[in-house]
Amino acid sequence: MGQLLRANRVDLIELTNISREPEVPDVDALAGQLRELRAGGGDLVIAIGGGSAIDVAKAIRLKVTHALALEEYDELKDGGSRVTHNVPPMIAIPTTM
């Protein structure tokens, strides 16, 4: 997929070191990496993989634009009310059934 996007002149950042059971520190580290690399210029997240890759992508979308700890966005804590502005759009391409 990366080759296809590059061939069509799409700038991209690939995050491929996602663990099978990602935890909050994993999401924070990946979001920090993406935040540094994109410097405000990215406009879409594409997640390709199984549930872990897609879940991490959803969390990263939030963390790139919001500063609170990930736990603060839990629906059991009325987390949706803490989302103050739009997160980048996302396309999810599951590779598992």
Side-chain angles (χ1 to χ4, degrees):
M1 179 63 84
Q3 288 177 326
L4 178 63
L5 292 170
R6 280 188 210 86
N8 286 284
R9 296 187 179 117
V10 174
D11 293 329
L12 70 129
I13 300 164
E14 292 180 89
L15 301 175
T16 58
N17 55 338
I18 297 170
S19 68
R20 293 179 65 96
E21 296 296 329
E23 297 186 14
V24 171
D26 299 322
V27 171
D28 289 339
L30 290 167
Q33 180 183 355
L34 182 59
R35 195 178 300 111
E36 287 177 24
L37 293 172
R38 88 184 255 267
D43 52 11
L44 174 69
V45 173
I46 301 173
I48 302 171
S52 295
I54 292 170
D55 288 344
V56 167
K58 290 187 284 188
I60 287 172
R61 291 171 59 219
L62 182 63
K63 287 298 294 178
V64 163
T65 55
H66 291 72
L68 294 176
L70 196 57
E71 297 88 357
E72 295 301 314
Y73 301 102
D74 188 318
E75 282 301 315
L76 295 176
K77 296 180 179 181
D78 193 31
S81 68
R82 294 180 180 90
V83 178
T84 57
H85 47 81
N86 290 336
V87 295
M90 179 176 132
I91 297 171
I93 303 170
T95 59
T96 58
M97 303 202 69

